[in-house]
Amino acid sequence: MTPPIPPLRIRVRLFAMQREAAGMRELRLEVPLGSTVDDAWAAVVDTVPALAPGRSSLRFAVNGEYVDDDLALADGDELACIPPVSGGSDAADTDADPRRRILRIDAEPLPRDLGSRLAGELATDEDGGVVTFTGRTRVTPGTPAPGQEAEAARHAGRVVEELDYEAFEPMAIRVLDQIADEIEERFGVRRVAIVHRTGVVPLGDASIVVVAVAPHRDAAFAAARYAIDETKARAPIWKAERFEDGVVWIGDAARRSATDPG
């Protein structure tokens, strides 16, 4: 007799609103040999039917990289299910225009002078432009993630008391590094910092600080704008707005790259 073909054993990671709906952070599943990402998602829904409504705005990553739904899985793969996103490593060289990057996810409060500290670490005597962007918690609500509309309507007219951020940190750092590569390629800016908070961020506190430095201001402005826009659109970082008696997750379906329409 032909021995049975062993299944693939995969680890499935859940985040943000999916984690809450499932009541768990991960599942261990066995799926047939040859299964794709989409097949694995079907197995997830069979196990946790409450997750089914979120499929249209979901993106997937395998072993920390965004992938298409038809990718064939291998035994031992880690499949991360990426719901709508919130909308550090260092590198240096020694030539005349050194590359310096500060890319970090911090669980502790960001100092109020972090922008000036990062600028001091990045800037050289050749840099005439330093652009700093700080994102802060505000009282007015944002746009609810798909599937969160009813909960958002329940809190209409109320003020946001604080934000709560969650991140898939290893993959988030890789995405930030890709964004820094694109900034260098598009704008010639080789010195950039992106530091993002996780955890609870009270009103008025910073959730993200971006710094771009360059010899000329136009490039520094363009680099900083690109950094914040692409981080919000692509990094696996999720934002929940906390009200007095509830939570609303915020954001849009993640873009897998700068050219992905989402």
Side-chain angles (χ1 to χ4, degrees), residues 6-167:
L8 303 178
R9 293 175 173 83
I10 62 171
R11 177 190 186 196
V12 180
R13 301 281 301 273
L14 302 174
F15 301 94
M17 63 201 77
Q18 289 187 324
R19 170 182 51 75
E20 290 187 343
M24 63 185 77
R25 294 183 178 275
E26 65 177 63
L27 298 87
R28 302 279 179 163
L29 295 179
E30 294 185 352
V31 295
L33 184 68
S35 292
T36 65
V37 167
D38 214 32
D39 296 329
W41 172 249
V44 170
V45 171
D46 284 344
T47 305
V48 188
L51 296 179
R55 177 65 184 88
S56 62
S57 57
L58 202 64
R59 300 292 181 265
F60 297 100
V62 172
N63 303 327
E65 300 287 344
Y66 280 119
V67 297
D68 293 328
D69 303 351
D70 58 358
L71 177 77
L73 294 169
D75 190 52
D77 277 348
E78 177 186 81
L79 174 64
C81 302
I82 308 294
V85 295
S86 71
S89 61
D90 297 344
D93 53 20
T94 57
D95 62 14
D97 186 22
R99 176 190 293 128
R100 295 175 183 167
R101 295 178 182 175
I102 302 170
L103 311 173
R104 206 163 65 224
I105 306 295
D106 278 358
E108 298 299 322
L110 303 183
R112 294 190 180 275
D113 64 344
L114 179 60
S116 60
R117 293 188 196 180
L118 295 171
E121 292 183 46
L122 293 172
T124 71
D125 290 342
E126 298 298 320
D127 292 316
V130 176
V131 174
T132 301
F133 171 83
T134 301
R136 302 166 68 244
T137 300
R138 66 174 190 265
V139 296
T140 52
T143 303
Q148 293 283 290
E149 294 85 358
E151 185 66 11
R154 191 170 74 84
H155 297 287
R158 302 177 186 176
V159 298
V160 175
E161 296 193 348
E162 60 191 14
L163 298 180
D164 195 350
Y165 285 91
E166 180 177 334

